Amino acid sequence: MTKLHLSPVFLSVTTLSLLSILSSPFLTHALGSGSTIAVISATSTVCGVAASQPSLSITCYRRTPIAEIITVQPNVSFSAISGGSTFFCGLRSGGYAFLCWDTSNSFFEPRRVYINNTALLQNLSVGDNHVCAIVNDTSHVNKTGTVTCWRGDGNVSRQSPSEGDKFKSISSGSGFSCGILMESNRIKCWGNNAIAREIELGFSDMTILNLEVGGLHVCGVNSSGALVCKGDNSSGQLNVPSNNVLEYSQLALGASHSCAIRRNNGSVVCWGGGGEYNVSEIQGVFFESIVSGSNFSCGLVSRDFSIMCWGPGWPNASGTRLPLGEVLPGPCVQSSCSECGLYPRSEKLCSGSGNICKPCGSNSSLLTPLAPPSFPSAPSPSIVPKSSPSNDLTTGLLVFAIVGSVGGLAGICTIIYCLWTGVCFGKKKVHNSVQPTITRAGSNGGLTSNNSGLNSRSSTIRHQSSRAMRRQRSGTSSKHADRAEEFSLAELAAATNNFSVENRIGAGSFGVVYRGKLKDGREVAIKRGETGQKMKKFQEKEMPIIMVNELGRILDPRVGQPEFNEAEAVELVGYTAMHCVNLEGKDRPTMTDIVSNLERALSLCDGSHGSISSGS
C-alpha cells in the first residue's frame, strides 16, 4: 500500500477556492442601520432614495391616516437613510451633513442636525428615539472612528461611548446601540437600556465581522461565518431556523423578529415574532436588501428595484409593491469601483452622478480558515515509510530562499528610498511652492470607493455631485514630472541672498515672497512663511458660525427669506472662508478644495428665484 501525498500546488488551489467563497460580503441592515431604504414603524411609513433621477432625493410612502406619496424636501442627493419609531434621518452625499424628518406631521419638515465639512460622518444609525454616527474627522486623525449620538430632539446625547473607543461599524435599537471595535473586532454596547450590558457580556471575547441591532436583541456573523444572536428571546427572535456557515448574506432585525436573505438564491426567511411573520406572500421573490421596523419588514426586489413589505404591522397589503418607483440598491460614489467592480446598470441608476460599487468582502481576512478537504484514508500498512530527509531539507531550503528574497528586496528598496529622498541623513527638505494650475477631470476621478475605508481630506471635503478636480504642476522644470521638486533651506537661502531685503518682491497671506535664482540658472519666486504674534492674534479671533436656520435673522427683511439651497450655499462659503485663515498651512483648504466648494455653492443657487446664478 502507498501513502497518499498532497502536493503544495493542490493545497494552494484548495485554500484559494475557500478564500474566494469567504470573501463574499456580509451586508446587513436592521431597525437602526443606514441603507437606501428606511422603515418608520409608528406611522407605517417607508422611504427610499430615488434611482435614475438627476437628484438622488428621498421619496416616502405613508399608509396612515390615508395612503399617500410624499416627496421629501430638500430635493438634494442623499447616500443613506435610517428610520426610528416616528422619525427618520438622511445622510447627505459626501457625509458632511445629515437631516431628520418627523413623520407624525402632515408634511415632513426638514431639520438639520449636523453639518461639518471636515468632520465627516459615516454609518448613520437610528434607534427608536436616538441617532448615532461614526465620525471621520479629516483634521484630527485621533478622532476618526469615534461615535457621536444625538437624542430624538436633535441635541447631543450623553449616552455615547468614550472618545477612546474607535469603531468600524455601529447599529442602534430600543434605547441602546452596539458597535464593532476597530482594534479587537469585539462588540461594545452603550445606552440607557440594561440589556446593552447583558448583550455585550453575551458576546464576550468573540470576534465579530458584522452585527445588527433589533429591538432588544443583536445578531452578528462571527469569524467562522456562523450567525450568533444574543439578548431577549421572548418571541423566539434568537432561534435561527438553520445556521450553516455562510448561509446568510443580509440581516434585518425588528422589535421581536429577525429576517435574513439566503446567500444562494436571494430569498428571505424570518423567525421569531410568535410565528406571525409568514413569508408565504413573498415566496419566489428575490431581494437585494432588507430592513425591518418594529413590527414589519421591507425589501428591495432584485427584479425591478421596487419595495415590498410584509408582517403583522403591514396588514392586508403584504406582498404588494409600493408605488415608489426605482430605489437605489446602494450609494452612488465618485469612483471607478476598480476594487470589486461596478453594480449592474450603475451609470443609469446614478444618472451620471457616480457609480454604485459592488460591496467588497473586506472582512474575509478575519474569517477562520476552514480545514482542507478530507480524503478517504488507505488502510494502514504494517510499516509506514518515513519521509525522506532530503525532501525535508529541500522544503526547508525553499522556505528560507523565499523569505530571504523578500527580506533582501525590502532592504534594497529601503536603501534606495533613503538615498533618493535624503531622509536617512537628516537632510531638511523644502517643497517647491510653484503655484499649481487646476484642470477639470471626469466625474470618476479623485475619489475613492466607499468600501475602501476612510477618505482623504482633499476628497471628502467636496460634495459628491461637484466635479472632481486634480492638481498638475505648472511647467516642466522638475526633473521628475510626477514628483514634487524639493530644496534644502540652505539652497533657498543661497538663491535669495539669505532672504535679503533687496530680493523681497511682496508679501502674501502669512508670508513674504522673495525673488531667487537657483544654481541651474532658473529664476523663481519663493514664499517664506511667518508666524508672528500679530498673525496669531488675527487667526485666534472668534469667528461665529451661522447655521442655515439662523441665516434669516441677520439678513435684511426686505430681501425676503432665503430658500433652503441658497442658505446652504451661504453657509458653505462662510465655512470655507473661515478655514482659509487658519494659522497652519496644513489646516487651510487647498486651492482645489476652495474651487470645488465655490462651485458647489454656485450650483446650489442654480434655479433659485432671484439668485445671481439664475440671472434674475
Side-chain angles (χ1 to χ4, degrees), residues 500-525:
S500 64
V501 178
E502 292 78 9
N503 286 51
R504 177 171 172 168
I505 59 176
S509 58
F510 305 106
V512 179
V513 181
Y514 296 88
R515 180 178 63 254
K517 190 172 184 179
L518 300 177
K519 291 181 179 180
D520 57 8
R522 285 180 293 166
E523 293 186 354
V524 295

PDB file of all heavy atoms in Angstrom, residues 500-525:
ATOM      1  N   SER A 500      17.377  88.369   1.584  1.00  0.00           N
ATOM      2  CA  SER A 500      17.705  89.784   1.788  1.00  0.00           C
ATOM      3  C   SER A 500      16.527  90.670   1.392  1.00  0.00           C
ATOM      4  O   SER A 500      15.636  90.274   0.628  1.00  0.00           O
ATOM      5  CB  SER A 500      18.927  90.156   0.944  1.00  0.00           C
ATOM      6  OG  SER A 500      18.627  90.031  -0.439  1.00  0.00           O
ATOM      7  N   VAL A 501      16.568  91.904   1.917  1.00  0.00           N
ATOM      8  CA  VAL A 501      15.510  92.871   1.633  1.00  0.00           C
ATOM      9  C   VAL A 501      15.494  93.224   0.147  1.00  0.00           C
ATOM     10  O   VAL A 501      14.436  93.471  -0.442  1.00  0.00           O
ATOM     11  CB  VAL A 501      15.709  94.143   2.493  1.00  0.00           C
ATOM     12  CG1 VAL A 501      14.646  95.181   2.173  1.00  0.00           C
ATOM     13  CG2 VAL A 501      15.688  93.784   3.972  1.00  0.00           C
ATOM     14  N   GLU A 502      16.683  93.228  -0.483  1.00  0.00           N
ATOM     15  CA  GLU A 502      16.759  93.565  -1.901  1.00  0.00           C
ATOM     16  C   GLU A 502      16.013  92.561  -2.772  1.00  0.00           C
ATOM     17  O   GLU A 502      15.516  92.894  -3.851  1.00  0.00           O
ATOM     18  CB  GLU A 502      18.226  93.638  -2.357  1.00  0.00           C
ATOM     19  CG  GLU A 502      19.022  94.801  -1.767  1.00  0.00           C
ATOM     20  CD  GLU A 502      19.444  94.541  -0.331  1.00  0.00           C
ATOM     21  OE1 GLU A 502      19.267  93.377   0.132  1.00  0.00           O
ATOM     22  OE2 GLU A 502      19.935  95.470   0.340  1.00  0.00           O
ATOM     23  N   ASN A 503      15.940  91.324  -2.300  1.00  0.00           N
ATOM     24  CA  ASN A 503      15.258  90.274  -3.080  1.00  0.00           C
ATOM     25  C   ASN A 503      13.771  90.185  -2.769  1.00  0.00           C
ATOM     26  O   ASN A 503      13.061  89.388  -3.365  1.00  0.00           O
ATOM     27  CB  ASN A 503      15.904  88.912  -2.799  1.00  0.00           C
ATOM     28  CG  ASN A 503      17.243  88.778  -3.454  1.00  0.00           C
ATOM     29  OD1 ASN A 503      18.101  89.637  -3.299  1.00  0.00           O
ATOM     30  ND2 ASN A 503      17.431  87.709  -4.223  1.00  0.00           N
ATOM     31  N   ARG A 504      13.296  90.963  -1.827  1.00  0.00           N
ATOM     32  CA  ARG A 504      11.880  90.917  -1.463  1.00  0.00           C
ATOM     33  C   ARG A 504      11.047  91.575  -2.559  1.00  0.00           C
ATOM     34  O   ARG A 504      11.321  92.703  -2.969  1.00  0.00           O
ATOM     35  CB  ARG A 504      11.660  91.626  -0.129  1.00  0.00           C
ATOM     36  CG  ARG A 504      10.207  91.692   0.291  1.00  0.00           C
ATOM     37  CD  ARG A 504      10.082  92.202   1.707  1.00  0.00           C
ATOM     38  NE  ARG A 504       8.701  92.459   2.061  1.00  0.00           N
ATOM     39  CZ  ARG A 504       8.255  92.688   3.285  1.00  0.00           C
ATOM     40  NH1 ARG A 504       9.121  92.690   4.291  1.00  0.00           N
ATOM     41  NH2 ARG A 504       6.990  92.910   3.516  1.00  0.00           N
ATOM     42  N   ILE A 505       9.998  90.878  -3.014  1.00  0.00           N
ATOM     43  CA  ILE A 505       9.152  91.417  -4.083  1.00  0.00           C
ATOM     44  C   ILE A 505       7.699  91.582  -3.652  1.00  0.00           C
ATOM     45  O   ILE A 505       6.870  92.037  -4.426  1.00  0.00           O
ATOM     46  CB  ILE A 505       9.221  90.515  -5.325  1.00  0.00           C
ATOM     47  CG1 ILE A 505       8.767  89.094  -4.989  1.00  0.00           C
ATOM     48  CG2 ILE A 505      10.594  90.532  -5.942  1.00  0.00           C
ATOM     49  CD1 ILE A 505       8.729  88.180  -6.202  1.00  0.00           C
ATOM     50  N   GLY A 506       7.359  91.201  -2.435  1.00  0.00           N
ATOM     51  CA  GLY A 506       5.982  91.380  -1.986  1.00  0.00           C
ATOM     52  C   GLY A 506       5.674  90.491  -0.797  1.00  0.00           C
ATOM     53  O   GLY A 506       6.529  89.738  -0.316  1.00  0.00           O
ATOM     54  N   ALA A 507       4.453  90.636  -0.294  1.00  0.00           N
ATOM     55  CA  ALA A 507       4.017  89.854   0.860  1.00  0.00           C
ATOM     56  C   ALA A 507       2.664  89.236   0.547  1.00  0.00           C
ATOM     57  O   ALA A 507       1.795  89.879  -0.029  1.00  0.00           O
ATOM     58  CB  ALA A 507       3.931  90.717   2.110  1.00  0.00           C
ATOM     59  N   GLY A 508       2.499  87.980   0.924  1.00  0.00           N
ATOM     60  CA  GLY A 508       1.219  87.285   0.749  1.00  0.00           C
ATOM     61  C   GLY A 508       0.607  86.972   2.097  1.00  0.00           C
ATOM     62  O   GLY A 508       1.026  87.504   3.127  1.00  0.00           O
ATOM     63  N   SER A 509      -0.406  86.107   2.079  1.00  0.00           N
ATOM     64  CA  SER A 509      -1.055  85.753   3.341  1.00  0.00           C
ATOM     65  C   SER A 509      -0.091  84.947   4.196  1.00  0.00           C
ATOM     66  O   SER A 509       0.393  83.900   3.779  1.00  0.00           O
ATOM     67  CB  SER A 509      -2.318  84.931   3.057  1.00  0.00           C
ATOM     68  OG  SER A 509      -2.002  83.779   2.325  1.00  0.00           O
ATOM     69  N   PHE A 510       0.229  85.457   5.370  1.00  0.00           N
ATOM     70  CA  PHE A 510       1.076  84.794   6.356  1.00  0.00           C
ATOM     71  C   PHE A 510       2.477  84.504   5.816  1.00  0.00           C
ATOM     72  O   PHE A 510       3.068  83.483   6.112  1.00  0.00           O
ATOM     73  CB  PHE A 510       0.433  83.484   6.831  1.00  0.00           C
ATOM     74  CG  PHE A 510      -0.948  83.639   7.358  1.00  0.00           C
ATOM     75  CD1 PHE A 510      -2.029  83.213   6.607  1.00  0.00           C
ATOM     76  CD2 PHE A 510      -1.182  84.254   8.574  1.00  0.00           C
ATOM     77  CE1 PHE A 510      -3.312  83.371   7.079  1.00  0.00           C
ATOM     78  CE2 PHE A 510      -2.465  84.407   9.048  1.00  0.00           C
ATOM     79  CZ  PHE A 510      -3.539  83.970   8.300  1.00  0.00           C
ATOM     80  N   GLY A 511       3.045  85.402   4.967  1.00  0.00           N
ATOM     81  CA  GLY A 511       4.387  85.158   4.487  1.00  0.00           C
ATOM     82  C   GLY A 511       4.857  86.240   3.534  1.00  0.00           C
ATOM     83  O   GLY A 511       4.094  87.063   3.043  1.00  0.00           O
ATOM     84  N   VAL A 512       6.197  86.238   3.272  1.00  0.00           N
ATOM     85  CA  VAL A 512       6.837  87.215   2.377  1.00  0.00           C
ATOM     86  C   VAL A 512       7.393  86.471   1.170  1.00  0.00           C
ATOM     87  O   VAL A 512       7.934  85.373   1.294  1.00  0.00           O
ATOM     88  CB  VAL A 512       7.973  87.966   3.109  1.00  0.00           C
ATOM     89  CG1 VAL A 512       8.656  88.959   2.175  1.00  0.00           C
ATOM     90  CG2 VAL A 512       7.425  88.675   4.335  1.00  0.00           C
ATOM     91  N   VAL A 513       7.275  87.090  -0.024  1.00  0.00           N
ATOM     92  CA  VAL A 513       7.726  86.477  -1.265  1.00  0.00           C
ATOM     93  C   VAL A 513       9.059  87.118  -1.684  1.00  0.00           C
ATOM     94  O   VAL A 513       9.198  88.347  -1.674  1.00  0.00           O
ATOM     95  CB  VAL A 513       6.680  86.648  -2.383  1.00  0.00           C
ATOM     96  CG1 VAL A 513       7.156  85.974  -3.674  1.00  0.00           C
ATOM     97  CG2 VAL A 513       5.342  86.069  -1.939  1.00  0.00           C
ATOM     98  N   TYR A 514      10.039  86.254  -2.024  1.00  0.00           N
ATOM     99  CA  TYR A 514      11.366  86.712  -2.424  1.00  0.00           C
ATOM    100  C   TYR A 514      11.672  86.230  -3.845  1.00  0.00           C
ATOM    101  O   TYR A 514      11.228  85.155  -4.263  1.00  0.00           O
ATOM    102  CB  TYR A 514      12.441  86.160  -1.477  1.00  0.00           C
ATOM    103  CG  TYR A 514      12.322  86.646  -0.060  1.00  0.00           C
ATOM    104  CD1 TYR A 514      11.515  85.971   0.858  1.00  0.00           C
ATOM    105  CD2 TYR A 514      13.020  87.771   0.375  1.00  0.00           C
ATOM    106  CE1 TYR A 514      11.402  86.409   2.162  1.00  0.00           C
ATOM    107  CE2 TYR A 514      12.923  88.211   1.687  1.00  0.00           C
ATOM    108  CZ  TYR A 514      12.105  87.530   2.573  1.00  0.00           C
ATOM    109  OH  TYR A 514      11.995  87.963   3.867  1.00  0.00           O
ATOM    110  N   ARG A 515      12.476  87.049  -4.565  1.00  0.00           N
ATOM    111  CA  ARG A 515      12.975  86.664  -5.870  1.00  0.00           C
ATOM    112  C   ARG A 515      14.279  85.908  -5.674  1.00  0.00           C
ATOM    113  O   ARG A 515      15.138  86.303  -4.884  1.00  0.00           O
ATOM    114  CB  ARG A 515      13.204  87.890  -6.748  1.00  0.00           C
ATOM    115  CG  ARG A 515      13.739  87.554  -8.166  1.00  0.00           C
ATOM    116  CD  ARG A 515      13.921  88.801  -9.030  1.00  0.00           C
ATOM    117  NE  ARG A 515      14.912  89.710  -8.467  1.00  0.00           N
ATOM    118  CZ  ARG A 515      14.609  90.864  -7.854  1.00  0.00           C
ATOM    119  NH1 ARG A 515      13.345  91.218  -7.742  1.00  0.00           N
ATOM    120  NH2 ARG A 515      15.559  91.650  -7.374  1.00  0.00           N
ATOM    121  N   GLY A 516      14.451  84.786  -6.396  1.00  0.00           N
ATOM    122  CA  GLY A 516      15.655  83.995  -6.223  1.00  0.00           C
ATOM    123  C   GLY A 516      16.130  83.398  -7.528  1.00  0.00           C
ATOM    124  O   GLY A 516      15.389  83.348  -8.514  1.00  0.00           O
ATOM    125  N   LYS A 517      17.389  82.967  -7.531  1.00  0.00           N
ATOM    126  CA  LYS A 517      17.972  82.352  -8.711  1.00  0.00           C
ATOM    127  C   LYS A 517      18.690  81.079  -8.272  1.00  0.00           C
ATOM    128  O   LYS A 517      19.597  81.103  -7.439  1.00  0.00           O
ATOM    129  CB  LYS A 517      18.957  83.306  -9.386  1.00  0.00           C
ATOM    130  CG  LYS A 517      19.427  82.817 -10.751  1.00  0.00           C
ATOM    131  CD  LYS A 517      20.241  83.890 -11.465  1.00  0.00           C
ATOM    132  CE  LYS A 517      20.637  83.448 -12.873  1.00  0.00           C
ATOM    133  NZ  LYS A 517      21.408  84.482 -13.582  1.00  0.00           N
ATOM    134  N   LEU A 518      18.246  79.938  -8.822  1.00  0.00           N
ATOM    135  CA  LEU A 518      18.804  78.650  -8.448  1.00  0.00           C
ATOM    136  C   LEU A 518      20.150  78.434  -9.116  1.00  0.00           C
ATOM    137  O   LEU A 518      20.553  79.181 -10.020  1.00  0.00           O
ATOM    138  CB  LEU A 518      17.837  77.532  -8.833  1.00  0.00           C
ATOM    139  CG  LEU A 518      16.449  77.593  -8.196  1.00  0.00           C
ATOM    140  CD1 LEU A 518      15.568  76.465  -8.722  1.00  0.00           C
ATOM    141  CD2 LEU A 518      16.542  77.537  -6.679  1.00  0.00           C
ATOM    142  N   LYS A 519      20.854  77.374  -8.700  1.00  0.00           N
ATOM    143  CA  LYS A 519      22.177  77.084  -9.224  1.00  0.00           C
ATOM    144  C   LYS A 519      22.148  76.806 -10.725  1.00  0.00           C
ATOM    145  O   LYS A 519      23.111  77.084 -11.441  1.00  0.00           O
ATOM    146  CB  LYS A 519      22.784  75.883  -8.493  1.00  0.00           C
ATOM    147  CG  LYS A 519      23.134  76.169  -7.043  1.00  0.00           C
ATOM    148  CD  LYS A 519      23.741  74.940  -6.391  1.00  0.00           C
ATOM    149  CE  LYS A 519      24.118  75.231  -4.942  1.00  0.00           C
ATOM    150  NZ  LYS A 519      24.708  74.027  -4.287  1.00  0.00           N
ATOM    151  N   ASP A 520      21.029  76.221 -11.209  1.00  0.00           N
ATOM    152  CA  ASP A 520      20.951  75.895 -12.628  1.00  0.00           C
ATOM    153  C   ASP A 520      20.489  77.072 -13.480  1.00  0.00           C
ATOM    154  O   ASP A 520      20.212  76.932 -14.673  1.00  0.00           O
ATOM    155  CB  ASP A 520      20.021  74.703 -12.857  1.00  0.00           C
ATOM    156  CG  ASP A 520      18.623  74.950 -12.307  1.00  0.00           C
ATOM    157  OD1 ASP A 520      18.335  76.088 -11.895  1.00  0.00           O
ATOM    158  OD2 ASP A 520      17.831  73.997 -12.299  1.00  0.00           O
ATOM    159  N   GLY A 521      20.357  78.260 -12.873  1.00  0.00           N
ATOM    160  CA  GLY A 521      20.010  79.460 -13.615  1.00  0.00           C
ATOM    161  C   GLY A 521      18.529  79.794 -13.641  1.00  0.00           C
ATOM    162  O   GLY A 521      18.147  80.862 -14.119  1.00  0.00           O
ATOM    163  N   ARG A 522      17.676  78.939 -13.095  1.00  0.00           N
ATOM    164  CA  ARG A 522      16.243  79.227 -13.092  1.00  0.00           C
ATOM    165  C   ARG A 522      15.917  80.329 -12.099  1.00  0.00           C
ATOM    166  O   ARG A 522      16.417  80.308 -10.972  1.00  0.00           O
ATOM    167  CB  ARG A 522      15.449  77.971 -12.744  1.00  0.00           C
ATOM    168  CG  ARG A 522      15.366  76.949 -13.866  1.00  0.00           C
ATOM    169  CD  ARG A 522      14.554  75.752 -13.410  1.00  0.00           C
ATOM    170  NE  ARG A 522      15.242  75.005 -12.363  1.00  0.00           N
ATOM    171  CZ  ARG A 522      14.659  74.091 -11.599  1.00  0.00           C
ATOM    172  NH1 ARG A 522      13.370  73.853 -11.746  1.00  0.00           N
ATOM    173  NH2 ARG A 522      15.337  73.440 -10.689  1.00  0.00           N
ATOM    174  N   GLU A 523      15.075  81.263 -12.520  1.00  0.00           N
ATOM    175  CA  GLU A 523      14.607  82.313 -11.631  1.00  0.00           C
ATOM    176  C   GLU A 523      13.255  81.898 -11.063  1.00  0.00           C
ATOM    177  O   GLU A 523      12.338  81.524 -11.802  1.00  0.00           O
ATOM    178  CB  GLU A 523      14.483  83.642 -12.386  1.00  0.00           C
ATOM    179  CG  GLU A 523      15.827  84.209 -12.828  1.00  0.00           C
ATOM    180  CD  GLU A 523      15.693  85.595 -13.432  1.00  0.00           C
ATOM    181  OE1 GLU A 523      14.549  86.053 -13.600  1.00  0.00           O
ATOM    182  OE2 GLU A 523      16.741  86.213 -13.732  1.00  0.00           O
ATOM    183  N   VAL A 524      13.140  81.977  -9.744  1.00  0.00           N
ATOM    184  CA  VAL A 524      11.936  81.501  -9.064  1.00  0.00           C
ATOM    185  C   VAL A 524      11.472  82.529  -8.038  1.00  0.00           C
ATOM    186  O   VAL A 524      12.229  83.432  -7.645  1.00  0.00           O
ATOM    187  CB  VAL A 524      12.202  80.152  -8.348  1.00  0.00           C
ATOM    188  CG1 VAL A 524      12.506  79.062  -9.350  1.00  0.00           C
ATOM    189  CG2 VAL A 524      13.338  80.298  -7.344  1.00  0.00           C
ATOM    190  N   ALA A 525      10.211  82.379  -7.636  1.00  0.00           N
ATOM    191  CA  ALA A 525       9.665  83.171  -6.532  1.00  0.00           C
ATOM    192  C   ALA A 525       9.474  82.240  -5.345  1.00  0.00           C
ATOM    193  O   ALA A 525       8.879  81.169  -5.477  1.00  0.00           O
ATOM    194  CB  ALA A 525       8.334  83.806  -6.938  1.00  0.00           C
TER     195      ALA A 525
END
